[in-house]
Amino acid sequence: MTHRCESTCAPDASAETVVPHSLGLTRKTPTLQATAQSLVVSVLDLVATRAGEPVGSAIARSVELARRVEQLGYRRYWVAEHHAIQGMACSAPPVLIGHIAAATKTIRVGSGGVMLPNHAPLVVAEQFGTLEAIYPGRIDLGLGRAPGGDFQTMHALRHGLGQDGDDFPSLIEELRTYLGPERPGQVVKAVPGQNSNVPITVLGSSGFSAQLAATLGLPFAFAAHLAPENLHSAAQVYREGFRPSHELRKPYLFVAVQVIAAETDAAARRLFTTPQQRFLRVIRGEPAELLPPVDSMERLWHDAEREAVENRLRAAIVGSDATVQAGLERLASNTRAAEVIVLTETYEHSDRIDSYRRVARIAARILAPTGEAYAG
């Protein structure tokens, strides 16, 4: 695969767009002009649903968000893969990717990620090869090894495949065979998919995935929103073990992190109670739907639950523009992340749009690590 060097640029700063009235918003969002040296930011979307609402409403919000962040200069829009979790409508990434790509024009759209042991590599190659044929140069394929659900759901997904997380490296190699140039004597081919060279990124939250990405010479995306305790060690493993490849000459590290930016620290912290409540419900085995923010979490959890939620979300960057800028600068400096994948979950869509607008403006003021180049 050949990767081109891209800069992060938005449309003219004087342009304005208006969200459709169907989503209940009227705020105008100015676009931003970033420099080639600015910190690259992208979006991770879990397609969160509210209690009792149709799934189509959550998907419509995702489409609208993708259009907005495209205008704001975000580089890519990734959707996750989760199964049988009430509150997350992201069980079919290829379908969502096609829908979002059709509604946008330039932003890269991809998976954050496809949980490869859940699928036959040939099917994944055909799906993403088809997407690449429809939207050339705009499709990303992030790959993870977690099930994206509980054990029973994993068994249902992998029934007959005989795959588990331990065979993740061999599954990636098989998938690369289907996406790359046809090899001498190759019998099974992905049509479409063969020679599509869809860019692959290894996703993970541990040293195992970091070492695999380094060995293969592929970009690595660390899920700091899930396992913040492993961030720095995994980043070090990836950089120290990286082997240049045909795809990538130098390490390229993504870091996915929760971010909420608002007018004040207090306003952002209140909005943050929505993802806090969501993780609390996950811990309790309850539906993980979005709930409205609250003034205080103290009456909602006991000490052990509070500790568990705070540990899981301790990498989150929450606050005013100044607080978020300091947090992003610290994250980029400490990890040398070339790209930050921003996950923002608020109950009101208008708050989510506003946060992404603020983050785009903040990122344009932050200098990215030097020496990184990746066209995916």
Side-chain angles (χ1 to χ4, degrees):
M1 291 180 279
T2 301
H3 292 242
R4 304 168 306 278
C5 182
E6 295 180 282
S7 61
T8 304
C9 297
D12 187 275
S14 62
E16 291 184 333
T17 57
V18 181
V19 179
H21 291 288
S22 60
L23 287 172
L25 301 176
T26 57
R27 177 184 287 121
K28 293 184 178 181
T29 302
T31 57
L32 300 166
Q33 188 72 36
T35 69
Q37 291 77 35
S38 297
L39 179 67
V40 179
V41 285
S42 294
V43 174
L44 175 63
D45 188 3
L46 307 185
V47 195
T49 61
R50 300 167 181 158
E53 77 167 344
V55 169
S57 297
I59 294 174
R61 288 196 297 272
S62 293
V63 170
E64 183 55 44
L65 179 61
R67 288 171 173 158
R68 281 301 191 96
V69 298
E70 178 178 66
Q71 294 158 354
L72 289 168
Y74 283 77
R75 178 167 292 183
R76 62 191 92 234
Y77 195 102
W78 282 2
V79 292
E81 177 183 339
H82 290 285
H83 298 275
I85 300 177
Q86 191 68 35
M88 298 183 188
C90 55
S91 58
V95 178
L96 291 171
I97 289 167
H99 185 54
I100 292 169
T104 52
K105 296 178 180 178
T106 58
I107 194 169
R108 299 190 66 91
V109 188
S111 58
V114 165
M115 301 295 104
L116 189 54
N118 292 343
H119 313 282
L122 177 60
V123 173
V124 176
E126 291 172 338
Q127 291 172 339
F128 279 79
T130 300
L131 288 166
E132 175 66 22
I134 300 171
Y135 308 104
R138 293 184 56 206
I139 302 301
D140 291 335
L141 177 52
L143 300 171
R145 68 180 180 125
D150 57 33
F151 177 80
Q152 291 79 8
T153 302
M154 181 189 74
H155 179 74
L157 286 164
R158 301 178 184 181
H159 181 69
L161 290 176
Q163 299 172 175
D164 56 35
D166 293 337
D167 53 8
F168 185 46
S170 63
L171 294 175
I172 290 182
E173 183 56 33
E174 181 182 351
L175 177 58
R176 294 174 83 185
T177 298
Y178 298 136
L179 292 175
E182 183 178 337
R183 301 180 182 182
Q186 182 176 338
V187 176
V188 179
K189 305 175 184 65
V191 182
Q194 205 73 52
N195 207 32
S196 62
N197 300 310
V198 177
I200 289 176
T201 298
V202 176
L203 278 62
S205 57
S206 68
F208 175 89
S209 297
Q211 185 61 59
L212 177 60
T215 300
L216 296 176
L218 292 174
F220 177 52
F222 185 85
H225 63 295
L226 295 177
E229 68 278 6
N230 297 329
L231 171 58
H232 297 287
S233 61
Q236 183 176 2
V237 166
Y238 175 60
R239 292 192 181 282
E240 292 181 352
F242 183 83
R243 300 176 185 174
S245 66
H246 180 66
E247 290 86 355
L248 198 62
R249 290 176 296 177
K250 296 181 179 180
Y252 194 96
L253 176 65
F254 301 82
V255 175
V257 64
Q258 289 252 10
V259 181
I260 294 181
E263 185 173 356
T264 65
D265 287 345
R269 285 194 296 267
R270 186 176 189 278
L271 295 177
F272 189 52
T273 61
T274 290
Q276 285 178 319
Q277 290 179 83
R278 188 172 190 178
F279 270 104
L280 177 61
R281 290 165 69 87
V282 169
I283 290 171
R284 293 174 174 174
E286 299 173 351
E289 295 149 328
L290 292 179
L291 296 177
V294 295
D295 293 332
S296 173
M297 291 288 295
E298 291 308 311
R299 294 185 177 182
L300 301 181
W301 54 23
H302 55 65
D303 288 345
E305 291 174 329
R306 176 184 57 77
E307 183 177 0
V309 172
E310 290 181 348
N311 282 339
R312 179 66 68 88
L313 296 174
R314 70 185 186 193
I317 300 172
V318 179
S320 64
D321 289 7
T323 299
V324 170
Q325 180 166 342
L328 288 174
E329 287 175 340
R330 186 164 52 249
L331 177 67
S333 174
N334 291 345
T335 66
R336 293 170 57 200
E339 188 165 341
V340 175
I341 306 178
V342 178
L343 170 62
T344 300
E345 295 182 302
T346 60
Y347 187 77
E348 295 295 341
H349 190 59
S350 57
D351 292 325
R352 195 180 186 202
I353 293 288
D354 180 60
S355 181
Y356 276 111
R357 177 180 60 81
R358 291 174 182 274
V359 170
R361 184 173 60 209
I362 292 165
R365 299 195 294 260
I366 299 175
L367 293 181
T370 59
E372 309 287 358
Y374 175 59

